[in-house]
């Protein structure tokens, strides 16, 4: 079982790099977190507050965070199923989320990739998305800590999505990805 954790602030390129990974090898598939609340629906499995409460009660929540007026959950059953069939690409922006996934699935071989870009590039990307919450996304960008033990760090303002995908694929297939 192998997986990729793409770590980075908003607009660092997680969606774009994931699309390039999938194009390179269709075994790479974004892990669609559960989401309850407003905003984008693409890239998520929409849920309800009641369904998330049931997951919490059963101990099946690996990681949960609240942002942009919504609740986002990495669930154990969903990620376990995807690990068995594909190479999930999990998007996170909190160091504790990386640790939670590694701990919950310690038998999997994870490649942790830190994606970064300069703040001015993030501003341009966020504005181009037209999500209407530029300030909140920039606040999240500013609050995102550096992840200390990434297997690979990619500046998406300097590397094309295709180059980033090839570098990640090499790390997944090579010795850089460790069982953690």
């Amino acid at each position: 079982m192998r997986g990729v954790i793409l770590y980075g602030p908003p607009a660092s390129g997680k969606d774009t790099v994931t699309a390039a990974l999938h194009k390179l090898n269709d075994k790479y598939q974004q892990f669609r977190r559960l989401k309850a609340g407003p905003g984008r629906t693409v890239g998520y499995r929409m849920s309800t507050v009641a369904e998330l409460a049931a997951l919490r009660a059963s101990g099946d929540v690996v990681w949960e965070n609240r942002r942009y007026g919504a609740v986002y959950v990495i669930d154990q059953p969903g990620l376990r199923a995807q690990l068995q069939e594909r190479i999930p690409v999990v998007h996170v922006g909190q160091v504790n989320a990386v640790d939670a996934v590694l701990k919950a699935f310690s038998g999997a071989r994870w490649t942790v990739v830190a994606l970064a870009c300069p703040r001015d590039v993030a501003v341009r990307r966020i504005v181009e998305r037209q999500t209407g919450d530029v300030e909140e996304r920039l606040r999240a960008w500013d609050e995102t800590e550096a992840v200390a033990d990434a297997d690979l760090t990619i500046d998406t303002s300097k590397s094309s999505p295709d180059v980033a995908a090839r570098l990640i694929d090499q790390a997944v297939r090579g010795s850089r990805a460790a069982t953690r």
Side-chain angles (χ1 to χ4, degrees):
M1 292 190 312
R2 297 176 295 169
V4 175
I5 298 173
L6 287 186
Y7 177 86
S12 59
K14 294 182 289 288
D15 287 338
T16 304
V17 170
T18 299
L21 272 168
H22 183 73
K23 181 178 151 193
L24 179 68
N25 180 340
D26 67 2
K27 286 194 82 70
Y28 291 105
Q29 184 177 54
Q30 180 180 346
F31 173 72
R32 294 171 42 230
R33 289 187 289 169
L34 293 168
K35 177 181 177 181
R40 282 179 34 184
T41 58
V42 174
Y44 299 102
R45 292 176 290 144
M46 297 308 292
S47 189
T48 66
V49 172
E51 290 168 341
L52 296 183
L55 270 175
R56 278 187 218 98
S58 67
D60 283 333
V61 172
V62 173
W63 175 255
E64 175 179 338
N65 68 302
R66 297 171 190 275
R67 192 163 305 269
Y68 316 121
V71 179
Y72 302 87
V73 168
I74 297 172
D75 65 305
Q76 201 164 66
L79 189 50
R80 183 182 308 112
Q82 197 169 347
L83 274 164
Q84 292 171 352
E85 298 173 12
R86 302 260 185 190
I87 302 172
V89 181
V90 181
H91 296 184
V92 296
Q94 301 84 17
V95 172
N96 291 341
V98 174
D99 296 338
V101 170
L102 295 176
K103 181 179 177 186
F105 294 94
S106 59
R109 184 175 158 182
W110 291 100
T111 302
V112 178
V113 181
L115 298 182
C117 67
R119 193 176 195 277
D120 64 314
V121 172
V123 169
R124 179 178 45 78
R125 291 174 178 173
I126 291 168
V127 169
E128 287 172 356
R129 283 184 187 172
Q130 299 180 343
T131 55
D133 55 359
V134 172
E135 292 305 316
E136 191 170 357
R137 289 184 187 275
L138 287 175
R139 191 168 32 261
W141 194 94
D142 292 336
E143 293 171 356
T144 303
E145 302 173 63
V147 64
D149 57 352
D151 297 299
L152 189 60
T153 300
I154 299 171
D155 182 336
T156 59
S157 71
K158 296 179 180 175
S159 295
S160 73
D162 291 338
V163 168
R166 284 194 300 274
L167 290 170
I168 294 166
D169 184 57
Q170 288 170 0
V172 169
R173 291 183 296 110
S175 60
R176 294 183 73 169
T179 301
R180 300 177 190 227

